[in-house]
Amino acid sequence: MKNLNIAVRSLFKKGRHNGMKIVSLSVGLSVALVLIAKIYFEQSYDTFYPDADRIYRLTESFVTADGSGDFPQVPGAVASGMKAEVPGIEEATRLTYIAGEGTTFKTPEKERYFADYILMADSNVFDVLQRPILLGNPREVLARPWYAMISRSLAEKMGGIDAVNGIQITPDDMPGMKLTIGGVFEDIPENSHLRFDMLVSMNGMNEWSRTNWVGNDRYLSYVRLSPGVSPESLKPAIHEMTLRHIDQEEMQKAGVELDFFMKPMLEMHSGSSDVENMMMMLAVLAFALLFTAVMNYILIAISSIVNRTKEVAVHKSYGASEGNIYRGLL
């Protein structure tokens, strides 16, 4: 207790600048830790999915007379074709947007609610992008045209998980569409590159759109590879599949070369150049803040020591050791 009282009194002694030392060091450390936490969060995208390291998104690669590029969506038949024809692909699924952020819909009682992003999805979507299912069987619900599954937070806004089963809803932007809620899934975390509040059965989509190989590139397609299989080892089989289903003569006449490859889901967010640049800037800033805070503390401590030479002399005359003097000054 005596040592504690001495320590508390020393905080307010004139000339020691203890308040400045504490504030400068704590502020620098706090801001730097916040920046480090932000960097960690950006790198944690999609890691909550089981087997995330084996999940890939299909990407379309094209070459035309005007140049070349990649497109993150593919035609409807590509994912199911890969599942059927490319050994090493354990599962494949598709999604496609039908409504964006802040979409409003109403119930038969004319009550209105908001949903952020509505997508159509295959019935096996949660076999690849796994989330806890709170109500219903996705393979059954999403196999029925115009049936839907909604997120837990949206279900709670509508009265509760058990209360939403069987409710018919109509999106304001699509007055002719009537959807029946048949299930509830756990919310998609914020650190996901793909977020949605509602999934609608893909079987409501036009059959041609779901089975074509060229054009209508609107599908977000994901595959899960078998353990030990690498995307590079599947390139020959994917290329052969492309040659079988896409008329190469017609593509040459159109002046287009088309192929498909896989991009790791874990790189969908953190692998983008903008995010990488941002994380680099945050890392440099965090290091600069830590370095500045520590150096500022040291300089203030040294300055206070220089200004207290008389106190050092008194301590020394009473037999204090160098270590005692140093600890007392800090």
Side-chain angles (χ1 to χ4, degrees), residues 27-65:
V27 170
L29 290 175
S30 298
V31 176
L33 289 174
V34 169
L35 295 178
I36 293 171
K38 173 64 175 175
I39 294 171
Y40 176 80
F41 177 78
E42 295 295 330
Q43 292 180 326
S44 71
Y45 266 62
D46 300 310
T47 55
F48 59 87
Y49 284 117
D51 303 319
D53 59 327
R54 293 196 285 124
I55 301 176
Y56 294 78
R57 192 163 91 176
L58 302 183
T59 301
E60 185 178 89
S61 175
F62 61 89
V63 178
T64 66

Side-chain angles (χ1 to χ4, degrees), residues 178-193:
K178 292 189 181 298
L179 305 174
T180 302
I181 298 175
V184 179
F185 57 87
E186 185 56 76
D187 289 352
I188 307 296
E190 289 188 14
N191 59 335
S192 173
H193 78 282

Side-chain angles (χ1 to χ4, degrees), residues 277-320:
N277 292 336
M278 179 189 68
M279 288 193 295
M280 179 65 69
M281 293 175 61
L282 291 177
V284 171
L285 184 58
F287 174 79
L289 284 169
L290 284 173
F291 180 78
T292 302
V294 172
M295 290 303 297
N296 189 45
Y297 178 87
I298 293 173
L299 291 174
I300 293 174
I302 293 174
S303 175
S304 66
I305 291 174
V306 172
N307 294 330
R308 292 162 56 201
T309 54
K310 183 178 179 180
E311 184 180 342
V312 171
V314 172
H315 283 296
K316 191 70 175 177
S317 66
Y318 278 94

Side-chain angles (χ1 to χ4, degrees), residues 14 21 25 29 49 53 59 79 102 112 115 128 154 167 181 193 200 203-204 214 219 238 269 274 277 280 291 300 329:
K14 184 177 180 180
K21 285 191 278 187
L25 187 61
L29 290 175
Y49 284 117
D53 59 327
T59 301
R112 274 186 162 76
V128 179
L154 181 56
I167 292 179
I181 298 175
H193 78 282
V200 181
N203 289 334
V214 179
Y219 292 92
I238 293 174
H269 178 80
D274 290 341
N277 292 336
M280 179 65 69
F291 180 78
I300 293 174
L329 292 176

Side-chain angles (χ1 to χ4, degrees), residues 55-59 72 193 220-222 261-263 268:
I55 301 176
Y56 294 78
R57 192 163 91 176
L58 302 183
T59 301
H193 78 282
L220 301 169
S221 299
Y222 296 84
F261 67 95
M262 304 176 188
K263 184 173 182 179
M268 294 308 304

Side-chain angles (χ1 to χ4, degrees), residues 72-109:
Q73 297 174 186
V74 299
V78 177
S80 55
M82 284 193 180
K83 174 66 168 62
E85 301 180 27
V86 178
I89 292 183
E90 197 171 72
E91 194 60 87
T93 194
R94 304 164 299 179
L95 305 96
T96 184
Y97 287 97
I98 58 175
E101 187 174 6
T103 299
T104 57
F105 62 89
K106 61 184 177 182
T107 65
E109 291 75 23

Side-chain angles (χ1 to χ4, degrees), residues 195-216:
R195 301 189 66 197
F196 45 83
D197 271 338
M198 187 182 304
L199 295 178
V200 181
S201 172
M202 183 70 74
N203 289 334
M205 179 64 72
N206 178 280
E207 184 177 359
W208 173 86
S209 175
R210 291 183 281 125
T211 58
N212 73 304
W213 284 87
V214 179
N216 193 35

